[in-house]
Amino acid sequence: MMYCIAKNKYPLKYFSCGKLISDEPFLHLRRNLDTFVLLVGSKGTLYIAQDDQPYELKPNQFMLLFPGHEHYGYRESEPGLHYYWCHFQTCHNQYKFLTEQQMNQYLHIEKNTVADSILKTYYILPQFGEILIKNRIDLIFNQLLDLSNRNYYSKTIVTNYTLSLLLMELSQNFIDTSTPKIQDISNSNYKIAEIAEWIRVNYNTDLSVKKIADKFGYNPDYLSLVFKKFTGYPLLKYLNRLKISEAKQLLLNSSANIKEIANATGFIDEKNFMKLFKKMESLTPTQYRNTFFCKHFNKN
């Protein structure tokens, strides 16, 4: 694994972006570009190699293609492939590559001054990685798509800074998955983590605080209180935030209507969904979808 670092004091230089949607088998072209290419998986699997090293880019994963390095599809993807792409360069084209051993010297030395400087002042991007909070990456990428297709008064500046924010989020994503953390996790916290994961899997069913509490043998009020200590949110608010977060992804990445999205995220009543969405986002679902309506899609 190789890593690219570049000073984050300066915005990146945006060139183009889009979302590829393929309804047919897809094989990526063989290319060697003078720009970086960021790929973020959304649906299906992209089979792509860089310097003859094969990768499978799936949803909730990202990949960075390096300038001057050959990349190509080594196997056809199944129909239904979706992924985001963006071409960019660093400021003054200044960056450097680190090996995994070199990166570990920065990341795994606790309270090291040099490491602290690296973490704060650089974009840090691995060649390939998992995305912890996909909703944030999707949202920023959709903002970038929208802004790049608008007749914005300062289009170059705003796309450069939006792209830079996207890369900072991915850098933070990498730091969060790589830096050691000292945690004091009690047995009760493990149980709450288990419940939170169960809710994540079953959020789109007809759940309530009582149903969740009954399933795990807790008093509803007690479980909600403990859940707030662990997550920062009472149980009902945590559940609603999860439902609305998933609904936002469907609004941005599907053509489903509001009723279909309400049903897909566990709302029996479409009106309750719309009311809760407006309360939490200060926009109706339709207004939220239309906020990022200008996008560039390409097909093979």
Side-chain angles (χ1 to χ4, degrees):
M1 176 83 77
M2 295 294 294
Y3 301 82
C4 177
I5 64 171
K7 284 282 188 179
N8 62 22
K9 179 179 179 180
Y10 310 103
L12 299 165
K13 186 177 181 181
Y14 167 88
F15 282 92
S16 60
C17 71
K19 184 176 183 180
L20 183 135
I21 299 176
S22 177
D23 297 324
E24 301 176 357
F26 175 80
L27 184 67
H28 199 286
L29 295 174
R30 183 180 292 269
R31 298 187 301 187
N32 189 324
L33 304 176
D34 60 357
T35 63
F36 286 95
V37 185
L38 173 65
L39 306 176
V40 175
S42 180
K43 183 178 178 182
T45 302
L46 173 67
Y47 300 96
I48 188 165
Q50 178 165 224
D51 296 333
D52 295 328
Q53 174 67 43
Y55 294 89
E56 296 183 7
L57 182 72
K58 299 179 180 180
N60 299 334
Q61 294 179 333
F62 69 93
M63 183 173 183
L64 189 65
L65 303 177
F66 301 142
H69 292 243
E70 186 178 58
H71 60 267
Y72 58 91
Y74 64 90
R75 173 181 165 184
E76 280 191 343
S77 298
E78 296 290 330
L81 175 69
H82 294 192
Y83 68 85
Y84 298 99
W85 57 268
C86 181
H87 292 243
F88 68 94
Q89 287 181 341
T90 58
C91 182
H92 305 304
N93 211 24
Q94 293 183 352
Y95 57 87
K96 64 179 179 179
F97 294 125
L98 299 178
T99 65
E100 190 140 14
Q101 181 179 8
Q102 290 170 326
M103 180 56 69
N104 285 339
Q105 290 176 355
Y106 294 119
L107 295 176
H108 296 291
I109 301 176
E110 190 175 359
K111 296 181 180 179
N112 180 280
T113 304
V114 176
D116 185 62
S117 176
I118 286 289
L119 295 181
K120 290 182 178 179
T121 63
Y122 281 81
Y123 302 105
I124 308 174
L125 299 168
Q127 190 170 350
F128 190 89
E130 300 283 340
I131 296 174
L132 287 179
I133 309 177
K134 185 174 184 295
N135 294 347
R136 292 178 64 84
I137 301 301
D138 274 359
L139 178 61
I140 300 172
F141 222 126
N142 276 282
Q143 288 177 317
L144 182 61
L145 286 166
D146 181 77
L147 291 168
S148 66
N149 285 281
R150 288 183 181 272
N151 187 21
Y152 211 83
Y153 81 99
S154 57
K155 186 173 180 178
T156 299
I157 296 175
V158 75
T159 50
N160 285 351
Y161 277 103
T162 305
L163 170 65
S164 300
L165 174 60
L166 175 63
L167 271 290
M168 286 183 178
E169 283 287 341
L170 287 175
S171 297
Q172 185 65 53
N173 180 93
F174 169 67
I175 291 168
D176 289 343
T177 59
S178 302
T179 52
K181 297 180 176 64
I182 300 173
Q183 297 177 332
D184 180 18
I185 305 177
S186 66
N187 290 333
S188 62
N189 284 350
Y190 277 121
K191 189 64 177 178
I192 297 301
E194 178 187 342
I195 296 172
E197 177 61 15
W198 184 86
I199 294 171
R200 186 191 67 80
V201 173
N202 295 280
Y203 75 92
N204 57 350
T205 61
D206 184 23
L207 290 182
S208 67
V209 172
K210 186 178 186 307
K211 286 181 179 179
I212 297 170
D214 287 347
K215 177 175 176 58
F216 290 94
Y218 285 96
N219 173 276
D221 292 337
Y222 173 78
L223 180 60
S224 186
L225 179 63
V226 175
F227 219 85
K228 183 176 181 180
K229 290 181 179 178
F230 183 78
T231 68
Y233 302 104
L235 183 51
L236 180 59
K237 188 170 184 179
Y238 179 88
L239 175 61
N240 285 337
R241 284 174 62 87
L242 180 59
K243 288 174 178 284
I244 295 302
S245 179
E246 294 298 325
K248 287 160 65 177
Q249 295 307 303
L250 291 173
L251 287 166
L252 293 177
N253 297 304
S254 80
S255 58
N257 62 38
I258 303 302
K259 184 176 182 180
E260 291 170 336
I261 291 174
N263 292 337
T265 50
F267 290 92
I268 298 175
D269 189 337
E270 175 187 356
K271 292 182 180 178
N272 285 342
F273 164 66
M274 296 175 67
K275 182 178 179 180
L276 181 63
F277 194 101
K278 178 68 180 294
K279 180 180 178 180
M280 294 181 66
E281 300 297 325
S282 300
L283 294 170
T284 67
T286 300
Q287 288 171 334
Y288 181 85
R289 171 176 270 169
N290 290 341
T291 299
F292 306 117
F293 73 92
C294 290
K295 302 178 183 177
H296 171 65
F297 298 100
N298 61 304
K299 300 181 69 174
N300 60 312

